[in-house]
Amino acid sequence: MLNDLKRIAIFNKVVECGSLTSAGASLGLTKSKVSEQVTVLESNLNVRLLNRTPRKINLTTEGHTFYQYSRGLLQVAEEAISSVNHLSSEVSGTIRIGATVDVGTYLLNPLLPAFCKQYPKVTFDIQLDDGVQDLVETNLDLVIRIGDLAPSSLIGRTIAPFELGIYACRSYLEHRPPIKHIQDIEQHDWVVLTRLNLPNHVLSLVNQNGDSHHIKTSPKHFCNAPLGVMSMVQLGMGVGLIANFLVDQIQDSNLIRLFPDFCQKGQAMNILYPSRKNLAPRVRLLIDYLIDALRA
């Protein structure tokens, strides 16, 4: 099909230019190559489209009919290419982004107005879901994820370091055994984010000096959403891991961070997208903007 379309385009150019030589010069092909492609097209159609003489060419009846139906192909293709280039140069169109509810609400959304002000013809379709989002199935341009990246065909770029600290609320701490040493946390109830998948419920903590502790957690409650975990901790249902950016946004004075020098080991926030090749300018600009904004 693609080869036939190419030959039809060559045939149309021959008709418009009036000669094989002129058509070849316009298309960057030799005269013999143009003649060969038209001959193959005639063979495939089983009709003669052109009568050739040393000085000029003439359309046959079949050639005239075929040209009338096919002459719009080049114009349609040129208009399609022009429209895409126009969109690219203007930085316009829709960007579809997937993120968890907490990241989308408290990190992503507050950054979008400034981007929209700079590129007013860009629109956003934000898909918030605390599950794992598939870029291909959901037709997303990019997703923002937290944690280690599983091997995949997607391109991953780290936006910013990401910190999960251990928190509890004042009312919980007032009625539970005191926590003086980091190992004391093992004796307390935990609210656990389901997708953390801690091996044997062991939590690895590290500080800036590289000191590490391995804590055996005792899960009592589970939740599949980070905001849900934070809410349960705020209500005194146990201790739990909460993202630093969430605590900064909520600013709940009843939330107490335990052993603030330590956080869960090896966490990062990443942007995933299908390919660097042919990435729409609006998407590339947004990725760079988000990385700069969140690293600042």
Side-chain angles (χ1 to χ4, degrees):
M1 175 61 76
L2 290 177
N3 286 333
D4 286 338
L5 290 174
K6 180 180 72 173
R7 294 179 187 117
I8 293 170
I10 293 173
F11 164 74
N12 285 347
K13 185 60 70 174
V14 170
V15 176
E16 292 162 8
C17 292
S19 74
L20 298 174
T21 302
S22 297
S26 176
L27 296 170
L29 301 173
T30 63
K31 176 183 177 181
S32 60
K33 187 65 175 179
V34 171
S35 179
E36 173 193 318
Q37 293 299 304
V38 173
T39 299
V40 172
L41 178 62
E42 290 175 323
S43 177
N44 290 343
L45 296 172
N46 199 29
V47 295
R48 178 174 288 277
L49 299 173
L50 298 172
N51 288 319
R52 304 168 179 81
T53 67
R55 293 188 176 182
K56 63 178 181 178
I57 60 169
N58 292 307
L59 285 169
T60 64
T61 300
E62 291 83 2
H64 179 77
T65 300
F66 188 74
Y67 176 69
Q68 293 302 313
Y69 279 99
S70 65
R71 63 181 179 178
L73 287 177
L74 282 179
Q75 182 180 352
V76 170
E78 289 170 355
E79 289 176 354
I81 293 171
S82 175
S83 67
V84 171
N85 290 337
H86 179 67
L87 287 174
S88 298
S89 63
E90 286 196 348
V91 188
S92 61
T94 299
I95 304 177
R96 290 175 52 84
I97 306 173
T100 54
V101 177
D102 57 331
V103 170
T105 303
Y106 292 104
L107 274 186
L108 175 63
N109 288 354
L111 296 175
L112 298 184
F115 188 86
C116 289
K117 186 175 182 180
Q118 188 173 1
Y119 303 105
K121 294 189 177 180
V122 170
T123 58
F124 288 99
D125 183 351
I126 310 298
Q127 302 293 315
L128 302 183
D129 190 333
D130 286 317
V132 176
Q133 295 161 300
D134 188 296
L135 271 78
V136 177
E137 289 184 2
T138 54
N139 196 30
L140 295 170
D141 293 302
L142 59 93
V143 296
I144 301 175
R145 288 181 183 166
I146 292 170
D148 296 333
L149 296 177
S152 73
S153 60
L154 302 176
I155 306 299
R157 291 182 64 184
T158 299
I159 306 177
F162 178 75
E163 192 170 298
L164 282 171
I166 302 174
Y167 287 84
C169 76
R170 293 184 187 276
S171 61
Y172 174 86
L173 294 174
E174 288 172 357
H175 298 92
R176 304 290 294 185
I179 301 175
K180 296 181 179 180
H181 305 286
I182 198 164
Q183 298 299 141
D184 293 341
I185 307 176
E186 293 186 346
Q187 310 305 318
H188 286 257
D189 297 334
W190 278 76
V191 180
V192 177
L193 181 64
T194 311
R195 57 184 166 85
L196 282 181
N197 294 322
L198 299 177
N200 298 316
H201 302 301
V202 174
L203 173 64
S204 296
L205 301 172
V206 66
N207 65 11
Q208 292 183 348
N209 298 324
D211 301 323
S212 61
H213 283 280
H214 301 287
I215 306 298
K216 178 70 173 181
T217 64
S218 301
K220 185 172 184 179
H221 308 288
F222 293 88
C223 184
N224 71 333
L227 282 175
V229 170
M230 183 176 68
S231 175
M232 294 167 78
V233 171
Q234 286 175 297
L235 293 169
M237 298 176 68
V239 298
L241 291 170
I242 303 177
N244 55 338
F245 73 86
L246 278 181
V247 176
D248 292 342
Q249 290 287 338
I250 298 299
Q251 295 187 353
D252 183 353
S253 60
N254 289 314
L255 272 179
I256 306 297
R257 181 164 182 178
L258 307 176
F259 306 98
D261 291 341
F262 285 86
C263 62
Q264 187 187 15
K265 187 177 180 179
Q267 295 295 308
M269 186 178 301
N270 305 281
I271 288 183
L272 299 178
Y273 50 97
S275 173
R276 290 189 179 96
K277 187 177 180 181
N278 298 326
L279 192 64
R282 61 183 178 274
V283 178
R284 188 182 303 278
L285 285 168
L286 178 67
I287 291 172
D288 292 339
Y289 166 75
L290 291 176
I291 291 174
D292 289 342
L294 292 173
R295 283 180 178 174

